[in-house]
Amino acid sequence: MIIFFKNQETQFFIQALFLVFVYALTLILIIYMIEMHQSHLLMRETIQAADKLNAISQLAASIAHEIRNPMTTVKGFMQLMHAEQNLTKTQIQYIEVSLKELERTNQMINDFLTLSKPANNTVITFDLIPNIQDVTEFMKSYAHLSNIQLQCKITHYPIYIDGNANELKQLLINFIKNAIEAINENGTVEIEVISLKNKVKITVRDNGKGMSKEELSRIGQPYFSTKTRGTGLGLMIAFDIIKKMNGKYEIESNENEGTAIHLYFSTSDSV
């Protein structure tokens, strides 16, 4: 009887161990299937985003030049009319509004053309600091028009990175311009450069209207913009430049408090 009890006990233990193994294996399979499903969803979203960007590029290549040619003619005639001496104040105002809208349309066309151009893979080692200083000086006049202070804080000289200096200026101008336009008036936009271990951190910070969590999650998507007349293409181009330079970015934003964009680039080992 004792031997029989021991055999029963062993058989129960083996069955329990087998059930635990089956449950564990089932749990692992469920987790694997969930992760695969999430991976497929992420891949699908990435492909859809790439398809949208490709569609925009094709659209840009096909119509941008056709729009620009007649628009340039119209702009030229408007500028000639604006130079006339016998215009009334109302007529001058109408012409100035028309010229401003033509300039805005021209900027949109430039954004489309930038998306349609092949990637510029020219990579050089350059000093980041003079380029940031140039952009800051260039954007100060735009900031002053809205009574906004543009400040630049740099803690280390020089800082060398690998990439395309002109494209870096383009993305910084885009971020600073957005920061200025997010402030109604009498605000501050701060550009801060901090040297980290093997990296550099560039922050563009404003104390403007900020963004909600829903708006923040959609930043960088085609045709999404927090501005009334924005297209979202400028940020798409900026994020693409960051990716080409093997950089990373983080965005922090709170409604009615402001937004901070942090850019991270590896410093160059060749200097």
Side-chain angles (χ1 to χ4, degrees), residues 77-111:
F77 280 115
M78 295 296 292
Q79 288 172 334
L80 289 174
M81 292 173 61
H82 189 261
E84 290 290 331
Q85 301 296 323
N86 57 348
L87 297 175
T88 66
K89 185 177 180 179
T90 303
Q91 289 172 332
I92 292 173
Q93 184 180 359
Y94 289 161
I95 293 173
E96 288 177 349
V97 169
S98 299
L99 287 171
K100 185 177 179 181
E101 290 302 306
L102 285 170
E103 185 60 34
R104 189 176 71 86
T105 305
N106 186 59
Q107 183 58 50
M108 291 174 60
I109 291 173
N110 287 337
D111 289 341

mmCIF file of all heavy atoms in Angstrom, residues 77-111:
data_model
loop_
_atom_site.group_PDB
_atom_site.id
_atom_site.type_symbol
_atom_site.label_atom_id
_atom_site.label_comp_id
_atom_site.label_asym_id
_atom_site.label_seq_id
_atom_site.Cartn_x
_atom_site.Cartn_y
_atom_site.Cartn_z
ATOM 1 N N PHE A 77 3.406 91.439 -61.422
ATOM 2 C CA PHE A 77 2.452 92.512 -61.736
ATOM 3 C C PHE A 77 1.948 93.193 -60.463
ATOM 4 O O PHE A 77 1.758 94.413 -60.440
ATOM 5 C CB PHE A 77 1.278 91.951 -62.544
ATOM 6 C CG PHE A 77 1.578 91.771 -64.001
ATOM 7 C CD1 PHE A 77 1.597 90.506 -64.586
ATOM 8 C CD2 PHE A 77 1.849 92.877 -64.799
ATOM 9 C CE1 PHE A 77 1.884 90.350 -65.930
ATOM 10 C CE2 PHE A 77 2.136 92.719 -66.156
ATOM 11 C CZ PHE A 77 2.153 91.462 -66.727
ATOM 12 N N MET A 78 1.742 92.418 -59.394
ATOM 13 C CA MET A 78 1.292 93.009 -58.133
ATOM 14 C C MET A 78 2.357 93.950 -57.568
ATOM 15 O O MET A 78 2.040 95.013 -57.026
ATOM 16 C CB MET A 78 0.977 91.910 -57.122
ATOM 17 C CG MET A 78 -0.190 91.006 -57.497
ATOM 18 S SD MET A 78 -1.780 91.876 -57.577
ATOM 19 C CE MET A 78 -2.034 92.268 -55.865
ATOM 20 N N GLN A 79 3.625 93.570 -57.690
ATOM 21 C CA GLN A 79 4.710 94.429 -57.209
ATOM 22 C C GLN A 79 4.796 95.714 -58.026
ATOM 23 O O GLN A 79 5.080 96.791 -57.473
ATOM 24 C CB GLN A 79 6.034 93.665 -57.255
ATOM 25 C CG GLN A 79 6.140 92.580 -56.191
ATOM 26 C CD GLN A 79 7.364 91.707 -56.358
ATOM 27 O OE1 GLN A 79 7.901 91.557 -57.461
ATOM 28 N NE2 GLN A 79 7.822 91.109 -55.271
ATOM 29 N N LEU A 80 4.553 95.620 -59.336
ATOM 30 C CA LEU A 80 4.538 96.825 -60.178
ATOM 31 C C LEU A 80 3.382 97.744 -59.776
ATOM 32 O O LEU A 80 3.549 98.975 -59.710
ATOM 33 C CB LEU A 80 4.411 96.426 -61.658
ATOM 34 C CG LEU A 80 5.641 95.777 -62.300
ATOM 35 C CD1 LEU A 80 5.323 95.309 -63.713
ATOM 36 C CD2 LEU A 80 6.805 96.773 -62.334
ATOM 37 N N MET A 81 2.225 97.163 -59.509
ATOM 38 C CA MET A 81 1.077 97.963 -59.077
ATOM 39 C C MET A 81 1.357 98.636 -57.735
ATOM 40 O O MET A 81 0.980 99.784 -57.498
ATOM 41 C CB MET A 81 -0.169 97.079 -58.978
ATOM 42 C CG MET A 81 -0.682 96.578 -60.325
ATOM 43 S SD MET A 81 -2.023 95.374 -60.137
ATOM 44 C CE MET A 81 -3.250 96.368 -59.289
ATOM 45 N N HIS A 82 2.039 97.907 -56.850
ATOM 46 C CA HIS A 82 2.349 98.438 -55.521
ATOM 47 C C HIS A 82 3.278 99.645 -55.587
ATOM 48 O O HIS A 82 3.272 100.502 -54.689
ATOM 49 C CB HIS A 82 2.969 97.335 -54.659
ATOM 50 C CG HIS A 82 3.134 97.695 -53.216
ATOM 51 N ND1 HIS A 82 4.332 98.119 -52.683
ATOM 52 C CD2 HIS A 82 2.233 97.714 -52.191
ATOM 53 C CE1 HIS A 82 4.175 98.362 -51.396
ATOM 54 N NE2 HIS A 82 2.911 98.129 -51.065
ATOM 55 N N ALA A 83 4.083 99.715 -56.662
ATOM 56 C CA ALA A 83 5.024 100.825 -56.810
ATOM 57 C C ALA A 83 4.374 102.090 -57.375
ATOM 58 O O ALA A 83 5.011 103.147 -57.427
ATOM 59 C CB ALA A 83 6.183 100.390 -57.709
ATOM 60 N N GLU A 84 3.119 101.968 -57.812
ATOM 61 C CA GLU A 84 2.429 103.143 -58.358
ATOM 62 C C GLU A 84 2.218 104.208 -57.273
ATOM 63 O O GLU A 84 2.012 103.889 -56.105
ATOM 64 C CB GLU A 84 1.067 102.725 -58.935
ATOM 65 C CG GLU A 84 1.156 101.885 -60.213
ATOM 66 C CD GLU A 84 1.646 102.677 -61.405
ATOM 67 O OE1 GLU A 84 1.397 103.905 -61.438
ATOM 68 O OE2 GLU A 84 2.292 102.089 -62.272
ATOM 69 N N GLN A 85 2.254 105.473 -57.676
ATOM 70 C CA GLN A 85 2.177 106.585 -56.728
ATOM 71 C C GLN A 85 0.750 107.046 -56.438
ATOM 72 O O GLN A 85 0.500 107.702 -55.439
ATOM 73 C CB GLN A 85 2.991 107.780 -57.275
ATOM 74 C CG GLN A 85 4.460 107.472 -57.512
ATOM 75 C CD GLN A 85 5.197 107.135 -56.220
ATOM 76 O OE1 GLN A 85 4.904 107.733 -55.177
ATOM 77 N NE2 GLN A 85 6.128 106.199 -56.281
ATOM 78 N N ASN A 86 -0.182 106.741 -57.323
ATOM 79 C CA ASN A 86 -1.541 107.289 -57.187
ATOM 80 C C ASN A 86 -2.542 106.298 -56.593
ATOM 81 O O ASN A 86 -3.736 106.357 -56.859
ATOM 82 C CB ASN A 86 -2.056 107.763 -58.557
ATOM 83 C CG ASN A 86 -2.037 106.632 -59.580
ATOM 84 O OD1 ASN A 86 -1.440 105.589 -59.341
ATOM 85 N ND2 ASN A 86 -2.699 106.856 -60.707
ATOM 86 N N LEU A 87 -2.057 105.362 -55.781
ATOM 87 C CA LEU A 87 -2.946 104.380 -55.165
ATOM 88 C C LEU A 87 -3.524 104.917 -53.868
ATOM 89 O O LEU A 87 -2.875 105.678 -53.140
ATOM 90 C CB LEU A 87 -2.177 103.084 -54.871
ATOM 91 C CG LEU A 87 -1.615 102.318 -56.077
ATOM 92 C CD1 LEU A 87 -0.787 101.134 -55.600
ATOM 93 C CD2 LEU A 87 -2.734 101.833 -56.994
ATOM 94 N N THR A 88 -4.744 104.510 -53.590
ATOM 95 C CA THR A 88 -5.351 104.881 -52.311
ATOM 96 C C THR A 88 -4.820 103.961 -51.204
ATOM 97 O O THR A 88 -4.217 102.920 -51.472
ATOM 98 C CB THR A 88 -6.875 104.750 -52.381
ATOM 99 O OG1 THR A 88 -7.220 103.359 -52.558
ATOM 100 C CG2 THR A 88 -7.443 105.570 -53.528
ATOM 101 N N LYS A 89 -5.072 104.342 -49.972
ATOM 102 C CA LYS A 89 -4.614 103.553 -48.838
ATOM 103 C C LYS A 89 -5.244 102.158 -48.846
ATOM 104 O O LYS A 89 -4.581 101.155 -48.539
ATOM 105 C CB LYS A 89 -4.960 104.278 -47.534
ATOM 106 C CG LYS A 89 -4.414 103.611 -46.289
ATOM 107 C CD LYS A 89 -4.741 104.432 -45.053
ATOM 108 C CE LYS A 89 -4.196 103.743 -43.802
ATOM 109 N NZ LYS A 89 -4.486 104.530 -42.565
ATOM 110 N N THR A 90 -6.507 102.096 -49.215
ATOM 111 C CA THR A 90 -7.203 100.801 -49.276
ATOM 112 C C THR A 90 -6.615 99.910 -50.362
ATOM 113 O O THR A 90 -6.417 98.706 -50.155
ATOM 114 C CB THR A 90 -8.707 101.013 -49.541
ATOM 115 O OG1 THR A 90 -9.248 101.846 -48.520
ATOM 116 C CG2 THR A 90 -9.445 99.683 -49.557
ATOM 117 N N GLN A 91 -6.313 100.490 -51.529
ATOM 118 C CA GLN A 91 -5.722 99.710 -52.615
ATOM 119 C C GLN A 91 -4.346 99.167 -52.223
ATOM 120 O O GLN A 91 -4.024 98.008 -52.526
ATOM 121 C CB GLN A 91 -5.612 100.582 -53.869
ATOM 122 C CG GLN A 91 -6.960 100.886 -54.530
ATOM 123 C CD GLN A 91 -6.844 101.901 -55.648
ATOM 124 O OE1 GLN A 91 -5.956 102.764 -55.649
ATOM 125 N NE2 GLN A 91 -7.753 101.807 -56.620
ATOM 126 N N ILE A 92 -3.563 100.002 -51.562
ATOM 127 C CA ILE A 92 -2.245 99.558 -51.101
ATOM 128 C C ILE A 92 -2.387 98.397 -50.118
ATOM 129 O O ILE A 92 -1.643 97.404 -50.178
ATOM 130 C CB ILE A 92 -1.480 100.723 -50.444
ATOM 131 C CG1 ILE A 92 -1.121 101.780 -51.489
ATOM 132 C CG2 ILE A 92 -0.217 100.226 -49.744
ATOM 133 C CD1 ILE A 92 -0.511 103.036 -50.906
ATOM 134 N N GLN A 93 -3.366 98.501 -49.245
ATOM 135 C CA GLN A 93 -3.603 97.441 -48.263
ATOM 136 C C GLN A 93 -3.984 96.134 -48.952
ATOM 137 O O GLN A 93 -3.474 95.062 -48.592
ATOM 138 C CB GLN A 93 -4.707 97.869 -47.300
ATOM 139 C CG GLN A 93 -4.963 96.862 -46.179
ATOM 140 C CD GLN A 93 -6.065 97.322 -45.244
ATOM 141 O OE1 GLN A 93 -6.634 98.397 -45.425
ATOM 142 N NE2 GLN A 93 -6.374 96.515 -44.251
ATOM 143 N N TYR A 94 -4.861 96.213 -49.942
ATOM 144 C CA TYR A 94 -5.275 95.015 -50.676
ATOM 145 C C TYR A 94 -4.083 94.363 -51.387
ATOM 146 O O TYR A 94 -3.927 93.134 -51.394
ATOM 147 C CB TYR A 94 -6.367 95.356 -51.692
ATOM 148 C CG TYR A 94 -7.705 95.689 -51.085
ATOM 149 C CD1 TYR A 94 -8.665 96.382 -51.817
ATOM 150 C CD2 TYR A 94 -8.028 95.301 -49.786
ATOM 151 C CE1 TYR A 94 -9.910 96.686 -51.267
ATOM 152 C CE2 TYR A 94 -9.261 95.599 -49.234
ATOM 153 C CZ TYR A 94 -10.194 96.306 -49.975
ATOM 154 O OH TYR A 94 -11.414 96.604 -49.424
ATOM 155 N N ILE A 95 -3.249 95.201 -52.017
ATOM 156 C CA ILE A 95 -2.089 94.668 -52.738
ATOM 157 C C ILE A 95 -1.116 94.005 -51.773
ATOM 158 O O ILE A 95 -0.571 92.929 -52.058
ATOM 159 C CB ILE A 95 -1.392 95.788 -53.539
ATOM 160 C CG1 ILE A 95 -2.302 96.275 -54.671
ATOM 161 C CG2 ILE A 95 -0.063 95.298 -54.117
ATOM 162 C CD1 ILE A 95 -1.769 97.483 -55.403
ATOM 163 N N GLU A 96 -0.889 94.629 -50.615
ATOM 164 C CA GLU A 96 0.033 94.057 -49.633
ATOM 165 C C GLU A 96 -0.475 92.717 -49.100
ATOM 166 O O GLU A 96 0.307 91.785 -48.902
ATOM 167 C CB GLU A 96 0.240 95.048 -48.485
ATOM 168 C CG GLU A 96 1.094 96.256 -48.886
ATOM 169 C CD GLU A 96 1.222 97.263 -47.759
ATOM 170 O OE1 GLU A 96 0.482 97.133 -46.758
ATOM 171 O OE2 GLU A 96 2.069 98.177 -47.882
ATOM 172 N N VAL A 97 -1.783 92.625 -48.872
ATOM 173 C CA VAL A 97 -2.374 91.357 -48.431
ATOM 174 C C VAL A 97 -2.186 90.289 -49.518
ATOM 175 O O VAL A 97 -1.828 89.137 -49.230
ATOM 176 C CB VAL A 97 -3.868 91.528 -48.097
ATOM 177 C CG1 VAL A 97 -4.533 90.160 -47.891
ATOM 178 C CG2 VAL A 97 -4.032 92.387 -46.851
ATOM 179 N N SER A 98 -2.405 90.673 -50.780
ATOM 180 C CA SER A 98 -2.252 89.731 -51.895
ATOM 181 C C SER A 98 -0.813 89.248 -52.010
ATOM 182 O O SER A 98 -0.547 88.052 -52.209
ATOM 183 C CB SER A 98 -2.689 90.392 -53.204
ATOM 184 O OG SER A 98 -4.047 90.774 -53.153
ATOM 185 N N LEU A 99 0.145 90.173 -51.873
ATOM 186 C CA LEU A 99 1.562 89.800 -51.943
ATOM 187 C C LEU A 99 1.945 88.868 -50.798
ATOM 188 O O LEU A 99 2.724 87.921 -50.988
ATOM 189 C CB LEU A 99 2.444 91.060 -51.919
ATOM 190 C CG LEU A 99 2.444 91.897 -53.202
ATOM 191 C CD1 LEU A 99 3.180 93.217 -52.973
ATOM 192 C CD2 LEU A 99 3.104 91.128 -54.352
ATOM 193 N N LYS A 100 1.390 89.147 -49.622
ATOM 194 C CA LYS A 100 1.679 88.297 -48.466
ATOM 195 C C LYS A 100 1.153 86.880 -48.690
ATOM 196 O O LYS A 100 1.827 85.893 -48.368
ATOM 197 C CB LYS A 100 1.033 88.911 -47.216
ATOM 198 C CG LYS A 100 1.358 88.177 -45.930
ATOM 199 C CD LYS A 100 0.745 88.884 -44.736
ATOM 200 C CE LYS A 100 1.056 88.136 -43.440
ATOM 201 N NZ LYS A 100 0.445 88.813 -42.264
ATOM 202 N N GLU A 101 -0.044 86.764 -49.252
ATOM 203 C CA GLU A 101 -0.616 85.444 -49.523
ATOM 204 C C GLU A 101 0.152 84.708 -50.618
ATOM 205 O O GLU A 101 0.336 83.496 -50.564
ATOM 206 C CB GLU A 101 -2.090 85.586 -49.912
ATOM 207 C CG GLU A 101 -2.997 86.008 -48.769
ATOM 208 C CD GLU A 101 -2.936 85.033 -47.606
ATOM 209 O OE1 GLU A 101 -3.153 83.828 -47.818
ATOM 210 O OE2 GLU A 101 -2.656 85.474 -46.476
ATOM 211 N N LEU A 102 0.625 85.459 -51.616
ATOM 212 C CA LEU A 102 1.448 84.852 -52.666
ATOM 213 C C LEU A 102 2.755 84.319 -52.089
ATOM 214 O O LEU A 102 3.227 83.244 -52.485
ATOM 215 C CB LEU A 102 1.737 85.877 -53.769
ATOM 216 C CG LEU A 102 0.578 86.191 -54.724
ATOM 217 C CD1 LEU A 102 0.934 87.387 -55.596
ATOM 218 C CD2 LEU A 102 0.242 84.983 -55.588
ATOM 219 N N GLU A 103 3.337 85.068 -51.152
ATOM 220 C CA GLU A 103 4.575 84.625 -50.517
ATOM 221 C C GLU A 103 4.348 83.366 -49.690
ATOM 222 O O GLU A 103 5.169 82.447 -49.668
ATOM 223 C CB GLU A 103 5.139 85.741 -49.630
ATOM 224 C CG GLU A 103 6.493 85.428 -49.017
ATOM 225 C CD GLU A 103 7.564 85.172 -50.062
ATOM 226 O OE1 GLU A 103 7.518 85.818 -51.140
ATOM 227 O OE2 GLU A 103 8.436 84.320 -49.809
ATOM 228 N N ARG A 104 3.199 83.313 -49.000
ATOM 229 C CA ARG A 104 2.872 82.123 -48.212
ATOM 230 C C ARG A 104 2.678 80.901 -49.123
ATOM 231 O O ARG A 104 3.143 79.796 -48.826
ATOM 232 C CB ARG A 104 1.592 82.370 -47.395
ATOM 233 C CG ARG A 104 1.289 81.272 -46.382
ATOM 234 C CD ARG A 104 0.071 81.633 -45.552
ATOM 235 N NE ARG A 104 -1.149 81.556 -46.335
ATOM 236 C CZ ARG A 104 -1.847 80.422 -46.504
ATOM 237 N NH1 ARG A 104 -1.435 79.309 -45.943
ATOM 238 N NH2 ARG A 104 -2.941 80.418 -47.221
ATOM 239 N N THR A 105 2.024 81.120 -50.265
ATOM 240 C CA THR A 105 1.837 80.038 -51.237
ATOM 241 C C THR A 105 3.170 79.573 -51.793
ATOM 242 O O THR A 105 3.406 78.371 -51.974
ATOM 243 C CB THR A 105 0.930 80.512 -52.385
ATOM 244 O OG1 THR A 105 -0.293 81.013 -51.858
ATOM 245 C CG2 THR A 105 0.630 79.372 -53.348
ATOM 246 N N ASN A 106 4.069 80.524 -52.044
ATOM 247 C CA ASN A 106 5.392 80.180 -52.544
ATOM 248 C C ASN A 106 6.157 79.332 -51.537
ATOM 249 O O ASN A 106 6.872 78.389 -51.913
ATOM 250 C CB ASN A 106 6.176 81.455 -52.859
ATOM 251 C CG ASN A 106 7.507 81.162 -53.525
ATOM 252 O OD1 ASN A 106 7.559 80.547 -54.590
ATOM 253 N ND2 ASN A 106 8.589 81.596 -52.898
ATOM 254 N N GLN A 107 6.003 79.631 -50.246
ATOM 255 C CA GLN A 107 6.664 78.843 -49.210
ATOM 256 C C GLN A 107 6.116 77.424 -49.177
ATOM 257 O O GLN A 107 6.867 76.454 -48.997
ATOM 258 C CB GLN A 107 6.476 79.510 -47.844
ATOM 259 C CG GLN A 107 7.190 78.797 -46.699
ATOM 260 C CD GLN A 107 8.679 78.683 -46.925
ATOM 261 O OE1 GLN A 107 9.340 79.664 -47.238
ATOM 262 N NE2 GLN A 107 9.220 77.484 -46.773
ATOM 263 N N MET A 108 4.816 77.275 -49.369
ATOM 264 C CA MET A 108 4.221 75.940 -49.416
ATOM 265 C C MET A 108 4.778 75.154 -50.594
ATOM 266 O O MET A 108 5.071 73.959 -50.483
ATOM 267 C CB MET A 108 2.696 76.049 -49.513
ATOM 268 C CG MET A 108 2.029 76.573 -48.260
ATOM 269 S SD MET A 108 0.248 76.862 -48.472
ATOM 270 C CE MET A 108 -0.307 75.223 -48.913
ATOM 271 N N ILE A 109 4.937 75.822 -51.742
ATOM 272 C CA ILE A 109 5.499 75.149 -52.916
ATOM 273 C C ILE A 109 6.932 74.712 -52.642
ATOM 274 O O ILE A 109 7.350 73.610 -53.018
ATOM 275 C CB ILE A 109 5.435 76.083 -54.141
ATOM 276 C CG1 ILE A 109 3.979 76.289 -54.565
ATOM 277 C CG2 ILE A 109 6.240 75.517 -55.310
ATOM 278 C CD1 ILE A 109 3.797 77.312 -55.660
ATOM 279 N N ASN A 110 7.697 75.569 -51.955
ATOM 280 C CA ASN A 110 9.067 75.202 -51.600
ATOM 281 C C ASN A 110 9.097 73.961 -50.720
ATOM 282 O O ASN A 110 9.970 73.091 -50.872
ATOM 283 C CB ASN A 110 9.758 76.363 -50.879
ATOM 284 C CG ASN A 110 10.105 77.503 -51.824
ATOM 285 O OD1 ASN A 110 10.238 77.309 -53.028
ATOM 286 N ND2 ASN A 110 10.233 78.699 -51.271
ATOM 287 N N ASP A 111 8.144 73.861 -49.778
ATOM 288 C CA ASP A 111 8.062 72.686 -48.917
ATOM 289 C C ASP A 111 7.761 71.428 -49.740
ATOM 290 O O ASP A 111 8.356 70.367 -49.521
ATOM 291 C CB ASP A 111 6.980 72.874 -47.852
ATOM 292 C CG ASP A 111 7.381 73.902 -46.800
ATOM 293 O OD1 ASP A 111 8.590 74.198 -46.685
ATOM 294 O OD2 ASP A 111 6.494 74.426 -46.104
#
